[in-house]
Amino acid sequence: MIFLSTLVRQHIYDIEGHKVGALRDVCVSLNETFPAVTALIITTSTLPGNNDIVIPWSQVDNLEDPKIYLTVKQQRLASYTPHPDELLLKRDLLDKQIVDTQGFRVVKVNDLKLAQIKGTARLIGVDISASGLLRRLGILAPFELVSRVLPFHLSERTITWNYVEPIEVVSAGTTKLTPALAGAGAGTAGIVPHVQLNISHTKLTDLHPADLADILEQLDIEEAGAMLDRLDTETAADTLNEVEAPLQFELLIELDPEKASDLLEKLAPDDAADILAEIPQDKAERLLNLMPDEESRPIRELLRYGPETAGGIMTTEVLSLSQELTVEEALVYMRQNSAHLEMIYYLFIVDDEKHLVGVVSLRELVVAEPTTLLKDLMDEDVIKVKTDTDQEEVARIIAKYDLLGVPVVDEANHLVGLITVDDVIDVIHEEQVEDFSEIAGASVEEFEEEEHFSVRAILSRVTWLGVSLAAGFILALVLYQVFGNALIINPSHLQTSGFMAGLRSPLALNGMICFIPMLMLTSGSVGSQALGVAGWQLRSTHGTDFWRGMFRELRIGTIGGVLATLIVGLLAWLLFHSWLLAVAIGLGFGLSLLLAAICGLVLPTFFQRLRMRGSMVSAPLIDPVIAVISLSFFLVSALWLIDMLHV
């Protein structure tokens, strides 16, 4: 196997062994499943003009040898004109995002693997591992040497090319050559500076909509919108329906209004209403106006209800049958009118004024005599909910009675909609998020949306931090009033050295002891919040967003640490009237809280890698660890600052 990172900058020699130049890039054609190498881009200083040259593959001997030789003399080199369906591996693929259609994810290309088979070099796959990045940096060998001694292994993770799909797409057109290829004799229709696809997107369209949604959620909004726009309307609508709610309306805004309205038409009215409820009213109205009246009317009706009520989550597409119909007539009616319905396991029976009077299961209908009237077959004890019933109560009713769906009626008992079990699953997820957030004291969905890093997210953390600081200050006052005089001892009695020398000061000793209970309270609060968020992250994404979560926790923890530093420093000055002591304790306090937040996020993931439970359930194990780490760091940092500032 050949890696692009080892090829680039290799010297190229002609058939007589004369140096021609250094390999700068490799040109491949996308017309085959595994793209074939069509040319080499060589940087040379021996030819007039000091330009790069494009050498066709027909004049290359072998890429697998330690040195790359050509099959002709330097004077007989031919120029090659890249075709519109060709790309450069280093320029167009390296470091680019790739859709892994087998793993349903978006990855970054760290290196590219090639192979030469029967005289033809081909692109085999992309290396997405850390090994590929280290190989490019030229430092893979030292790491491999260390891995032979230490218990860690650098694995190679390569995705074969037939399982990937480049994301960036541009139209062919008449893009001019980039300066790097100028003078190569390539004419006027050079290689476009982005990945151009002339292959079908069957690998993407063959994926389940839920898997496509997972891929879209990993992309930037512009790239996700472009990919959604390339899918056929039916697939795009199903995919949009699987995307997380906050991203759905952003994707719609990225699309052309006509395309967006077409997607909404394909969705069930309740799903379309949920998306439009998040869009600014003027834009939602514009999309509704682009839809036919018969399609937009049920959506408008649903938008009138509260988002967390039965009316807000129901679908208006529900099958209702007259009680005067026979079983045979009902079956004929169902064959003609039920193709678009989500669920027909329950058939709801209404009277002449559309009042809900009974229910018949599909099984009962199939096995009944054809001449039986529905009013004689139906069960009049119908479990139902009203349009203003809270969605949590709806979920409880469906779970209690093991239903696949529950009918929704208005105040006059008219059948207006149906709530299916898949709608209830979404409700249960929302309620779980709310309950988990209340337990953790922080929004556990902060990691799911980068946009959630806002003032609201900060306030949710800082509020509980303030409560802990207030309680801690009360304890500090108690300790100061009760034990303050007893703690003032003769410094000469303390035999300390190093950073512990700070304890020779009675003022420093008094301050440290008074503020330790406050540290225990606040570090426990901050650690538990981060621990709750990490537990939810492990539960919902299995830790796949660890680094994004780490960066977010660093930002939120830094803000909390800065505020804690200022507040604790001020409180320390109020108690001891020493700015130097206030600075030392405040800085040590803030840094310790930041460390507690990081530990709350890192430790659950670490324990999960060790096949231990890494969620909030393991808080009795992790909380003491965070307390020990925070207190130890506070003692070291605060005492070092006290000694350095000569408090």
Side-chain angles (χ1 to χ4, degrees), residues 114-268:
L114 300 96
Q116 188 162 327
I117 306 169
K118 296 181 179 180
T120 301
R122 295 183 181 275
L123 173 62
I124 300 300
V126 297
D127 189 347
I128 61 172
S129 64
S131 299
L133 183 59
L134 295 174
R135 188 186 304 110
R136 284 176 56 191
L137 297 174
I139 56 175
L140 178 60
F143 277 87
E144 289 180 334
L145 183 62
V146 172
S147 67
R148 297 175 184 175
V149 180
L150 299 179
F152 76 89
H153 178 64
L154 289 173
S155 60
E156 180 183 312
R157 297 173 59 194
T158 302
I159 305 173
T160 55
W161 184 257
N162 59 309
Y163 286 115
V164 305
E165 190 90 9
I167 294 172
E168 294 180 274
V169 181
V170 296
S171 57
T174 57
T175 307
K176 295 182 179 179
L177 284 174
T178 61
L181 295 179
T188 60
I191 303 175
V192 293
H194 294 282
V195 177
Q196 177 184 354
L197 292 179
N198 283 338
I199 58 177
S200 66
H201 297 281
T202 53
K203 292 195 293 292
L204 285 177
T205 54
D206 286 345
L207 295 179
H208 190 279
D211 297 325
L212 282 172
D214 288 340
I215 292 174
L216 291 180
E217 289 167 1
Q218 300 173 61
L219 298 176
D220 294 336
I221 189 64
E222 295 82 4
E223 295 170 339
M227 178 176 288
L228 188 66
D229 191 44
R230 300 204 312 270
L231 300 173
D232 63 86
T233 305
E234 194 73 34
T235 304
D238 293 338
T239 302
L240 181 65
N241 196 34
E242 297 290 342
V243 172
E244 290 293 333
L247 184 60
Q248 288 177 323
F249 73 91
E250 294 182 19
L251 285 174
L252 275 187
I253 294 175
E254 283 294 317
L255 298 176
D256 178 77
E258 292 285 349
K259 175 77 171 181
S261 65
D262 290 341
L263 295 187
L264 291 174
E265 288 180 33
K266 295 293 183 180
L267 295 177

Side-chain angles (χ1 to χ4, degrees), residues 93-112:
L93 279 182
L94 212 56
D95 289 325
K96 296 299 190 298
Q97 286 182 307
I98 291 289
V99 175
D100 171 12
T101 55
Q102 189 179 36
F104 319 131
R105 56 182 175 165
V106 178
V107 295
K108 181 181 177 183
V109 179
N110 290 329
D111 206 347
L112 293 157

Side-chain angles (χ1 to χ4, degrees), residues 36 72 82 116 129 136 215 255 338 348 423 450 523 581 599:
V72 297
Q116 188 162 327
S129 64
R136 284 176 56 191
I215 292 174
L255 298 176
S338 62
F348 301 107
D423 299 318
E450 196 66 22
S523 64
L581 180 63
C599 288

Side-chain angles (χ1 to χ4, degrees), residues 549-602:
M550 171 63 78
F551 295 143
R552 174 178 292 278
E553 198 62 38
L554 281 174
R555 287 183 290 175
I556 294 178
T558 299
I559 294 174
V562 170
L563 292 175
T565 297
L566 297 175
I567 295 173
V568 172
L570 178 61
L571 296 177
W573 178 81
L574 290 174
L575 277 180
F576 302 103
H577 305 289
S578 170
W579 282 114
L580 294 179
L581 180 63
V583 170
I585 292 181
L587 286 175
F589 206 99
L591 292 173
S592 299
L593 292 188
L594 175 60
L595 182 61
I598 295 174
C599 288
L601 184 67
V602 172

Side-chain angles (χ1 to χ4, degrees), residues 583-585 587-588 636-647:
V583 170
I585 292 181
L587 286 175
V636 172
S637 59
L639 288 174
W640 177 77
L641 287 169
I642 287 172
D643 184 53
M644 186 180 67
L645 295 174
H646 305 291
V647 177

Side-chain angles (χ1 to χ4, degrees), residues 511-558:
M512 291 291 294
I513 292 179
C514 287
F515 278 92
I516 283 177
M518 180 188 289
L519 176 70
M520 294 292 94
L521 286 175
T522 51
S523 64
S525 175
V526 169
S528 295
Q529 287 178 331
L531 186 59
V533 175
W536 181 263
Q537 184 187 15
L538 290 173
R539 176 176 180 172
S540 57
T541 66
H542 305 288
T544 56
D545 291 338
F546 172 76
W547 287 111
R548 190 178 75 169
M550 171 63 78
F551 295 143
R552 174 178 292 278
E553 198 62 38
L554 281 174
R555 287 183 290 175
I556 294 178
T558 299

Side-chain angles (χ1 to χ4, degrees), residues 464-483:
W464 294 111
L465 176 62
V467 172
S468 298
L469 287 173
F473 185 61
I474 294 174
L475 291 176
L477 285 174
V478 172
L479 290 175
Y480 181 73
Q481 294 297 327
V482 176
F483 302 106

